[in-house]
Amino acid sequence: MSHELTWLLVAVPAVSAAILLLGGKATNAWGHLLGTLAPVISFAFGVVLFFQMRGHGSEERSETVRLFEWFSVGSIKVDFTLLIDPLSILFVLLITGVGSLIHIYSIGYMEHDPRRRRFFGYLNLFIASMLLLVLAADYLLVFVGWEGVGLASYLLIGFWQHKNSAAVAAKKAFVVNRVGDIGLSLAVMSMWALFGSSAFSTVNAGAEHVSSTWATLLGLMLLLAACGKSAQVPLQSWLLDAMEGPTPVSALIHAATMVTAGVYLVVRSHAIYEVTDAASTAVVIVGTVTALAGAIIGCAKDDIKKALAGSTMSQIGYMMLAAGLGPAGYVFAIFHLLTHGFFKANMFLGAGSVMHGMNDDVNMRHYGALRTPMKITFATFAFGYLAILGIPPFAGFFSKDKIIEAAFADNTVIGLCALLGAGITAFYMTRVMLMTFFGKKRWADDVHPHESPAVMTWPLIILAALSLGGGALYFAGHWIVDWLEPIVGHEEHHPPVSALVMTLITLAVVAVGIVIAVLKYRRDIPREAPAGSPVTVFARRDLYGDALNEAVLMRPGQYLTRTLVWLDNRGVDGLVNGLAALFGGLSGRLRRFQTGFVRSYALSMVFGAAFVVVALLAVRLS
């Protein structure tokens, strides 16, 4: 039974995507319904598999499902094999569960879009690719899902390609992710060279026997791939521009699923990172830097979706930080990934609901006082706000606080950075709440805010409930720790102070962030953004990430390309063409002596004979 359900998890949305994208206009009338039904069916299969798994002992919960021989070349044979285990099933439930809610929400959000059927086809393609990524039992098959996710992301970010900004954002996301893909492709090739296979089981078994140099290189290659997909420094620049896509895309791809793929890759590769301190430390540094960078960016954005995108960068940074801490952090990286999927999808869809009532305006300076005309959106968004701040008993309190504790237990500096990030998070999220739902209304005269239809608000209500109750995965007998420990292992961390004191310190820092935001934004907010300090400009321009990439990578790349083209034209082609011209010229001159006339040849013979006679006479006389 589990064999059938496992492959159907991927097959159902994949077939639905094929029908919607190849069926043409004949599927327009009901395409959105089929597109929504597909992830719902996969979610139902995932729930069945989860409870089947729960019925087995902890050592019997992993199963590989071989579907067919994928390809064979000489002695190399690769099977198309899926892996269903406690780690992958959690991702399956997150992808299909939250994905189903986002599909339902999209029915209302995209109601008047003439290409709605195609949009749902792209969503289904993304769901199928993401499921393949987390269910693959081989890094090579992971790469297939990885690329499928990248393609679907490109199509969805640029869905409104009539807008130049959306088309440019899609290309940017595609190119930056290709840089990360180099890391994954090199890692897979290296695994084949080192272990003779890229299957998880083979790589995990051989990791402890590989040299520290190769383990570090593998870890850094995988980290490069993770930075691309999860928008971590230095490959973070695409994420904020990706907000040009429809809001459900932001919720599905850039909050709940795709950007978490890098965290999944690192945690799934725990056997490699556990034998290389250098690569693990690099993961911690990247996560810490990104957690702070994303939070700083979120403080200065007036675009509500870009403020939330900066928040996503920051929260994924927390997950990466935890993943780099080894067995003390793996479980909490995944735990925060799940809770973040709930509350961030909730807030992104809430932002879409606000935009729906504000004529698609994304500028928070044009909002204000929306808590009255949009009561459901306000209440559900508030649940997400309290969850991301880590206010008990909301979900973020049980996941992010554990990461801060583990960070302090590992390194005081990293712990202080994580704590500072919590304070900055409180500031920018309070700023979003105040600018959007409180204060005086700053709407234009032709804007009439209103609540979204039920098809959009019910997913918000469910996600708000998950934002509140998601913490039960931990406080209900440390369930998630026991569930994941057989797969990724677990070690108890010991922070320098007790858990209660650590919680009080964190809440105090969060309170400071809230107070600063209230003092700054309780007054009237101008509809136009002031010039701001250099620090504000620094944050508004995404910490000059694009300028840095242009100066360090793009411009040198252009100059290198131009130099190579010049060398090719003037050097290689010049040498080849010069030799050709030399021999061509010589042959042209020699050809003058080959006229084809007999009289010319006879005259040449006469002159030749005369020359020989003269030469003989000269020799004889001498």
Side-chain angles (χ1 to χ4, degrees):
M1 180 68 174
S2 62
H3 282 65
E4 296 175 358
L5 292 184
T6 301
W7 73 267
L8 285 173
L9 286 171
V10 181
V12 169
V15 171
S16 176
I19 293 173
L20 295 178
L21 296 176
L22 301 177
K25 296 180 179 180
T27 62
N28 280 350
W30 44 266
H32 58 288
L33 299 178
L34 174 63
T36 302
L37 182 63
V40 172
I41 292 174
S42 289
F43 176 69
F45 290 160
V47 171
V48 171
L49 285 169
F50 173 74
F51 281 103
Q52 284 183 353
M53 200 176 292
R54 290 263 296 174
H56 298 295
S58 60
E59 302 301 324
E60 301 174 347
R61 289 174 178 162
S62 297
E63 183 179 5
T64 55
V65 181
R66 181 187 180 278
L67 299 181
F68 52 85
E69 182 181 298
W70 186 10
F71 66 86
S72 61
V73 180
S75 61
I76 298 175
K77 185 178 74 170
V78 178
D79 293 329
F80 197 101
T81 305
L82 304 180
L83 171 64
I84 189 78
D85 68 1
L87 178 59
S88 62
I89 195 64
L90 291 181
F91 274 87
V92 166
L93 294 177
L94 175 69
I95 294 164
T96 58
V98 175
S100 295
L101 295 174
I102 293 171
H103 276 71
I104 294 170
Y105 176 97
S106 299
I107 293 176
Y109 192 87
M110 302 293 289
E111 181 179 6
H112 302 294
D113 195 294
R115 300 165 66 238
R116 180 169 67 164
R117 178 260 309 167
R118 181 175 297 183
F119 177 78
F120 277 86
Y122 292 159
L123 286 183
N124 281 183
L125 175 63
F126 174 83
I127 292 288
S129 299
M130 192 68 197
L131 287 171
L132 178 61
L133 190 159
V134 300
L135 286 170
D138 188 300
Y139 283 99
L140 193 58
L141 193 55
V142 167
F143 189 77
V144 176
W146 195 269
E147 293 304 298
V149 165
L151 171 62
S153 173
Y154 167 78
L155 294 171
L156 287 166
I157 293 170
F159 184 74
W160 288 327
Q161 68 263 33
H162 60 275
K163 296 165 53 181
N164 182 64
S165 57
V168 171
K171 288 187 289 186
K172 184 176 182 179
F174 193 82
V175 170
V176 174
N177 273 271
R178 297 295 72 74
V179 176
D181 293 349
I182 293 173
L184 184 55
S185 59
L186 289 175
V188 172
M189 288 186 281
S190 299
M191 290 171 186
W192 276 96
L194 292 168
F195 311 116
S197 171
S198 57
F200 291 157
S201 56
T202 304
V203 173
N204 291 342
E208 61 183 16
H209 304 297
V210 75
S211 69
S212 60
T213 301
W214 267 111
T216 300
L217 288 173
L218 283 174
L220 294 177
M221 292 172 192
L222 294 171
L223 176 58
L224 178 62
C227 286
K229 274 290 183 287
S230 293
Q232 299 292 283
V233 173
L235 299 180
Q236 81 288 355
S237 62
W238 65 271
L239 184 64
L240 280 87
D241 289 10
M243 296 303 105
E244 290 291 338
T247 301
V249 174
S250 303
L252 180 64
I253 293 180
H254 310 121
T257 54
M258 187 183 99
V259 290
T260 62
V263 180
Y264 168 79
L265 183 67
V266 172
V267 173
R268 179 62 83 182
S269 307
H270 62 91
I272 294 172
Y273 286 100
E274 286 173 13
V275 296
T276 167
D277 290 337
S280 298
T281 302
V283 175
V284 171
I285 293 173
V286 166
T288 304
V289 170
T290 308
L292 292 175
I296 292 170
I297 289 172
C299 292
K301 293 296 183 182
D302 294 330
D303 183 321
I304 187 171
K305 289 174 65 178
K306 289 191 176 182
L308 293 177
S311 171
T312 296
M313 271 179 59
S314 181
Q315 297 304 305
I316 301 294
Y318 274 103
M319 300 171 207
M320 293 294 286
L321 189 164
L325 296 177
Y330 291 138
V331 169
F332 300 118
I334 300 301
F335 184 24
H336 193 53
L337 186 153
L338 296 174
T339 60
H340 176 264
F342 301 149
F343 61 70
K344 187 54 67 65
N346 173 24
M347 286 191 286
F348 261 115
L349 295 184
S353 181
V354 169
M355 292 165 56
H356 183 269
M358 294 293 292
N359 294 352
D360 290 329
D361 190 351
V362 297
N363 192 337
M364 293 186 291
R365 293 185 177 276
H366 302 165
Y367 295 167
L370 290 179
R371 68 185 185 281
T372 302
M374 306 184 72
K375 293 182 175 63
I376 297 177
T377 299
F378 164 66
T380 54
F381 197 97
F383 272 50
Y385 163 74
L386 294 171
I388 194 173
L389 262 58
I391 305 298
F394 289 85
F397 169 74
F398 298 96
S399 57
K400 190 168 72 174
D401 279 31
K402 287 298 177 184
I403 294 176
I404 296 174
E405 289 179 18
F408 268 108
D410 183 78
N411 184 285
T412 303
V413 174
I414 298 298
L416 289 173
C417 290
L419 187 60
L420 176 61
I424 302 175
T425 299
F427 173 82
Y428 71 71
M429 284 309 308
T430 303
R431 175 179 181 268
V432 170
M433 287 292 292
L434 293 175
M435 292 181 72
T436 303
F437 296 106
F438 293 89
K440 297 179 180 180
K441 64 180 184 179
R442 302 181 297 278
W443 323 324
D445 293 336
D446 60 338
V447 175
H448 305 285
H450 55 278
E451 190 58 270
S452 299
V455 73
M456 294 172 64
T457 55
W458 271 109
L460 292 177
I461 293 170
I462 295 172
L463 287 169
L466 292 170
S467 300
L468 172 62
L473 294 173
Y474 179 76
F475 71 74
H478 294 189
W479 179 85
I480 195 166
V481 175
D482 297 334
W483 181 256
L484 290 176
E485 185 174 5
I487 304 300
V488 299
H490 180 64
E491 292 178 2
E492 290 297 329
H493 54 264
H494 302 286
V497 295
S498 68
L500 177 59
V501 173
M502 194 73 254
T503 295
L504 293 176
I505 293 173
T506 303
L507 290 175
V509 172
V510 167
V512 170
I514 294 173
V515 170
I516 294 174
V518 171
L519 292 176
K520 183 173 177 60
Y521 293 97
R522 67 179 178 176
R523 299 182 295 274
D524 291 343
I525 299 171
R527 280 180 55 86
E528 299 299 326
S533 66
V535 175
T536 301
V537 174
F538 184 56
R540 284 177 182 167
R541 296 186 180 180
D542 304 341
L543 311 186
Y544 294 106
D546 286 337
L548 180 64
N549 287 339
E550 181 174 348
V552 175
L553 299 173
M554 193 180 84
R555 293 304 177 194
Q558 287 181 333
Y559 296 144
L560 176 62
T561 302
R562 291 170 184 171
T563 302
L564 292 175
V565 169
W566 184 87
L567 287 174
D568 182 59
N569 290 336
R570 300 296 181 87
V572 178
D573 287 353
L575 177 62
V576 173
N577 294 335
L579 288 173
L582 174 62
F583 284 101
L586 290 174
S587 65
R589 286 168 174 76
L590 292 173
R591 190 167 56 245
R592 295 175 183 176
F593 298 100
Q594 302 295 325
T595 63
F597 296 112
V598 174
R599 61 181 181 272
S600 298
Y601 297 147
L603 183 61
S604 298
M605 292 173 65
V606 169
F607 280 114
F611 176 78
V612 171
V613 170
V614 171
L616 290 173
L617 289 175
V619 171
R620 190 172 194 67
L621 292 175
S622 63

